[in-house]
Amino acid sequence: MSHIDLIIEERPADIGNFLVGRLLPFRGKRMVGPFIFIDHMGPVRLDDHHNMDIGPHPHIGLSTLTYLFEGNIMHKDTLGTEVEVKAGEVNWMTAGKGIVHSERTPDYLRHSDKPLHGLQIWVAMPKELEQMHPEFYHVSKEDIPTWEKDSVSYKLIAGSALGHNSPVPVYSKLFLLEIKSTTRQTIQVGHELFGEAGMYILEGSVESEGNVYEPKRILVAKDSSLCQFTMEAGTTIYLFGGEPFPEERYIYWNFVSSSLDIIEKAKEDWKTQRFPTIPGETGYIPLPEANPLVKQKK
């Protein structure tokens, strides 16, 4: 990753049942292109007495992308969606003006040992679409573009890159690209990228300009067009980014917007339970106190 501008290491964050590694937002870099939130879940092995149980909670102004390396999550939302996401598949939920969803271990796995490992990502929406009606889209493993070149495997999870297009229905110019190498390889993809670019190192190591970078960190490039790096054997990385928005984005808990007034309304609507409800779900995650690490004021 030529001309690295910033290195962001995972920080532990408690999501209720277990710790995750939080990558974005970061005090020195709140967004990379339209990407505003990235959590690395696991790897963790849940026994027969422990399950993922993230009860009903709201979102506005963003799309969530769930991508698992291992494990299974049952997604339910206020659109009536009930879909299990498995390893290699993509759940893409667009909150727009407001949606509520839950994420739990599927019933058939709740009394057995099971792994969980993956990425949960939020992508902010263009200002003119922040108040659109919510949508949900599921992409099977077989429909995600994959290809190989020079002993390197590529998978385009979302967006457009390297002459390929993912079927995930994104709303802005972005890319989320998985690259795996079984041998030491130099990768030159800068001329194919655009906007801002970040690299998440999942496993292995990456060398750039004489420096070696280990896993569980994001490297943010100064210029995506100069993106060149060397992957050691057994390395998996995720390149992500795209065109940044001209307006600032504010974030409070699960709410993202270019307008503080819209966020305040969402907070009040959740506290007074004016959001729609999920069929067959119970429970309610209260609005948390202010997080000092997340920008809320102009």
Side-chain angles (χ1 to χ4, degrees), residues 134-256:
E135 297 179 348
F136 179 86
Y137 199 81
H138 180 83
V139 181
S140 67
K141 182 178 180 179
E142 294 73 22
D143 292 335
I144 299 174
T146 59
W147 67 97
E148 290 194 8
K149 181 180 179 181
D150 300 328
S151 300
V152 178
S153 299
Y154 297 84
K155 180 183 295 185
L156 184 63
I157 298 169
S160 302
L162 308 183
H164 295 264
N165 297 290
S166 167
V168 175
V170 300
Y171 294 100
S172 59
K173 291 188 64 178
L174 61 87
F175 52 88
L176 175 57
L177 180 68
E178 177 188 89
I179 306 178
K180 292 188 174 187
S181 182
T182 57
T183 60
R184 181 179 168 89
Q185 294 283 345
T186 297
I187 309 295
Q188 298 182 357
V189 292
H191 61 289
E192 299 282 354
L193 304 181
F194 49 89
E196 298 180 328
M199 175 200 296
Y200 175 61
I201 307 171
L202 176 68
E203 58 186 355
S205 63
V206 169
E207 181 180 339
S208 176
E209 299 175 317
N211 298 307
V212 176
Y213 300 96
E214 301 297 329
K216 296 188 176 182
R217 65 198 64 200
I218 286 176
L219 312 180
V220 181
K222 289 182 179 178
D223 187 341
S224 64
S225 67
L226 300 175
C227 196
Q228 175 179 319
F229 51 90
T230 299
M231 298 174 64
E232 292 297 335
T235 295
T236 300
I237 65 167
Y238 293 85
L239 291 180
F240 66 96
E243 297 291 348
F245 297 126
E247 319 88 4
E248 189 170 10
R249 289 298 182 276
Y250 301 100
I251 179 170
Y252 185 104
W253 191 35
N254 302 318
F255 305 138
V256 170

Side-chain angles (χ1 to χ4, degrees), residues 34 51 55 59 80 86-87 127 163 169 171 220 270:
N51 294 289
H59 291 282
K86 303 175 183 177
K127 182 177 180 179
Y171 294 100
V220 181
W270 185 246

